[in-house]
Amino acid sequence: MSRNFDAIIIGAGQAGPSLAGRLTEAGRTVALVERKLFGGTCVNTGCMPTKAMVASAYAIHTARRGAEYGMTTGPISVDFARVMARKEKVRLDARAGVESWLKNMNNCTVLEGHARFESPTEIRVGEELISSEQVFLNVGARAAVPDFAGIDEVSYLTNSSIMELNHLPGHLVIIGGSYIGLEFAQMFRRFGSEVTVIEKGPRLIAREDPDVSDAIRAILEKEGVHIRLNAECIRFAKHPNGVAAGVDCTSGAPEAIGSDVLLATGRRPNTDDLGLDKAGVKTDARGYIEVDDFLRTNVPHISAMGECNGRGAFTHTSYNDFEIAAANLIDNDPRRVSDRIQTYALYIDPPLGRAGMTETEARKSGRKLMIGTRPMTRVGRAVEKGETQGFMKVIVDADTNEILGASILGTGGDEAIQSILDVMYAKKPYTTILRAVHIHPTVSELIPTVFGDMSPAT
């Protein structure tokens, strides 16, 4: 006999617990299944612990620049154990908060174990069989480990295992020049490690515009991060000093010798051991669960939220998936995934805040464009803080005055981008921002100036 619930949620990441809260408040019985760590990627191996480490790295970097601000300091040393202890407290506190919330939630039954479908409505968790006519999958994703030559012969780190590191690498070699890899590159360089980033492509973070990519490379290289681009035939071998990462590049040595190697080469969904075939749920070639605009799979009573559906790899998109599911199920509000404007940040220092299209994407759309840029050297707040690297860029449809996208690479860029994003969601023209009065001195106050200084794209 199975225990029946109004809804079953598999996974306690960003979407699952919040949906459990809404459903139980609406008087429905919920079974929430978690097989490992409450809080998902964000709490345990993503946003919270890594940004805690970024904060430590920022404080250390600022202390080294003390003389610029009028401070007299001695040599700055890094206690890596204390850095990691601080990170650990942040994530353990957050994890405990999610777990306590769920286990004390009325009408919510928490089951700890591995969930597998036995039929479209039945799920086994250990010895227990549960059933429901409403199932939500929030199972997340994990680090992808490519089949590099020699990878099985050496030790390597992923974004998860690096959270358990108990020593400061002498030389950290990072495979992958995208968001995860670059955040770790800068923070470990600031902790004192030698760092080399190896990227197969011709530039870093290829999805960004070339000017953004080039500026980020310059920021990292200024701090001493070694960048190897156009890397082909990446391979690994044991070395007396750690690991040899072989790489065929257009220039530079044929291999990088590192004490430690971090693989930052993408993600793969945690969908391969759920028994989705027994439920009849379709996945794409990479294992992501296929969903419609309302997050429903091809089996209508089964939905997928968060990273496992391939519709967004961020905490904020996962949480928005919860909002979409709850709005449709409880509020009779037909919210859709397609309502969402792409937005995210890269948390190097200074951070990159992004919203909407890149310039490259906008040009491909065939629209007539207006583009405005401003270096952070001409932003008073950045000058006052002594943090003038980067620039702002905005892109507008010249015929409709619609804001198509923006990039803010600079101090406070991850926060300032929100003012642009809000106008985009309001479906108002860029001229709305021109009429706004912003606080001085801030980074945001220069956004109207950037829009005001736009010129036709050539």
Side-chain angles (χ1 to χ4, degrees):
M1 293 290 293
S2 64
R3 296 171 63 188
N4 187 260
F5 296 86
D6 293 328
I8 295 172
I9 300 171
I10 302 176
Q14 287 301 300
S18 295
L19 181 60
R22 282 298 315 276
L23 290 171
T24 55
E25 286 174 2
R28 306 187 190 189
T29 58
V30 174
L32 188 142
V33 186
E34 175 54 56
R35 65 173 163 178
K36 195 173 182 182
L37 302 176
F38 290 85
T41 297
C42 176
V43 165
N44 293 287
T45 59
C47 314
M48 298 198 72
T50 60
K51 276 48 181 183
M53 294 172 71
V54 166
S56 292
Y58 178 80
I60 291 164
H61 180 68
T62 303
R64 291 191 179 115
R65 298 177 59 207
E68 297 176 33
Y69 298 95
M71 290 187 290
T72 301
T73 61
I76 301 300
S77 62
V78 177
D79 187 336
F80 187 66
R82 291 182 68 179
V83 169
M84 297 301 276
R86 179 180 181 275
K87 170 271 301 177
E88 194 67 5
K89 184 179 188 308
V90 168
R91 73 167 176 172
L92 290 181
D93 286 352
R95 182 192 303 166
V98 175
E99 183 174 357
S100 175
W101 177 37
L102 288 169
K103 290 184 175 179
N104 289 285
M105 187 181 291
N106 292 331
N107 294 324
C108 181
T109 299
V110 175
L111 301 175
E112 296 185 63
H114 190 157
R116 293 180 175 87
F117 281 97
E118 293 204 347
S119 76
T121 58
E122 294 177 305
I123 295 166
R124 183 168 296 282
V125 184
E127 298 298 317
E128 185 155 14
L129 187 65
I130 57 177
S131 63
S132 180
E133 296 295 329
Q134 192 77 61
V135 180
F136 297 90
L137 305 177
N138 182 216
V139 296
R142 61 191 185 274
V145 179
D147 189 23
F148 292 127
I151 190 65
D152 294 331
E153 301 173 11
V154 299
S155 297
Y156 58 84
L157 300 163
T158 66
N159 72 292
S160 295
S161 60
I162 201 169
M163 291 293 104
E164 315 302 330
L165 201 61
N166 58 11
H167 67 278
L168 181 63
H171 186 175
L172 180 63
V173 174
I174 299 174
I175 310 300
S178 195
Y179 306 91
I180 293 174
L182 299 187
E183 290 180 19
F184 280 112
Q186 187 183 56
M187 79 167 75
F188 273 92
R189 180 62 188 144
R190 290 180 170 187
F191 292 152
S193 301
E194 198 74 17
V195 176
T196 298
V197 175
I198 297 174
E199 165 57 40
K200 289 185 67 174
R203 58 187 177 87
L204 301 177
I205 47 175
R207 70 185 292 178
E208 304 298 339
D209 288 325
D211 55 354
V212 173
S213 176
D214 292 344
I216 288 170
R217 177 180 179 179
I219 288 167
L220 295 176
E221 288 185 329
K222 184 178 179 181
E223 294 191 28
V225 175
H226 306 295
I227 308 292
R228 301 290 303 274
L229 302 174
N230 297 301
E232 296 294 338
C233 301
I234 297 172
R235 58 200 181 276
F236 297 93
K238 292 181 180 179
H239 189 275
N241 295 326
V243 177
V247 52
D248 297 327
C249 295
T250 55
S251 62
E255 60 183 14
I257 310 301
S259 60
D260 301 81
V261 170
L262 169 64
L263 300 182
T265 49
R267 309 274 289 167
R268 58 176 298 186
N270 296 324
T271 59
D272 48 341
D273 57 0
L274 298 176
L276 293 179
D277 55 329
K278 293 185 178 180
V281 174
K282 291 182 180 179
T283 60
D284 66 15
R286 297 183 299 161
Y288 288 98
I289 298 170
E290 297 179 353
V291 296
D292 64 13
D293 216 16
F294 299 98
L295 302 171
R296 299 173 301 200
T297 70
N298 62 295
V299 181
H301 73 275
I302 301 176
S303 299
M305 307 179 296
E307 198 171 3
C308 68
N309 65 25
R311 303 294 290 272
F314 306 101
T315 294
H316 52 272
T317 52
S318 181
Y319 189 82
N320 183 239
D321 282 357
F322 140 67
E323 294 176 316
I324 292 169
N328 284 279
L329 193 62
I330 301 171
D331 303 330
N332 194 30
D333 178 4
R335 294 179 65 172
R336 296 172 170 84
V337 177
S338 57
D339 296 333
R340 193 154 66 205
I341 297 171
Q342 179 173 257
T343 188
Y344 53 87
L346 167 66
Y347 289 97
I348 61 165
D349 173 34
L352 167 69
R354 280 273 295 106
M357 295 182 182
T358 62
E359 180 183 341
T360 303
E361 290 169 336
R363 287 181 180 275
K364 287 181 179 179
S365 73
R367 306 188 195 205
K368 184 179 178 182
L369 305 178
M370 297 281 287
I371 298 176
T373 62
R374 188 177 190 87
M376 297 303 287
T377 53
R378 294 177 59 203
V379 175
R381 184 63 171 154
V383 173
E384 294 151 9
K385 293 176 69 177
E387 300 178 359
T388 56
Q389 297 183 101
F391 64 96
M392 300 181 180
K393 178 165 65 172
V394 296
I395 306 155
V396 166
D397 185 313
D399 294 322
T400 66
N401 288 343
E402 175 191 1
I403 302 172
L404 300 178
S407 303
I408 304 180
L409 174 63
T411 181
D414 54 328
E415 295 284 353
I417 198 73
Q418 309 291 344
S419 64
I420 297 176
L421 187 65
D422 289 343
V423 174
M424 294 173 72
Y425 270 110
K427 302 185 185 302
K428 297 294 184 181
Y430 80 90
T431 51
T432 302
I433 293 181
L434 294 183
R435 299 178 68 89
V437 177
H438 290 84
I439 297 169
H440 172 80
T442 62
V443 173
S444 295
E445 70 171 321
L446 270 299
I447 290 174
T449 304
V450 181
F451 279 110
D453 290 345
M454 290 187 301
S455 58
T458 56

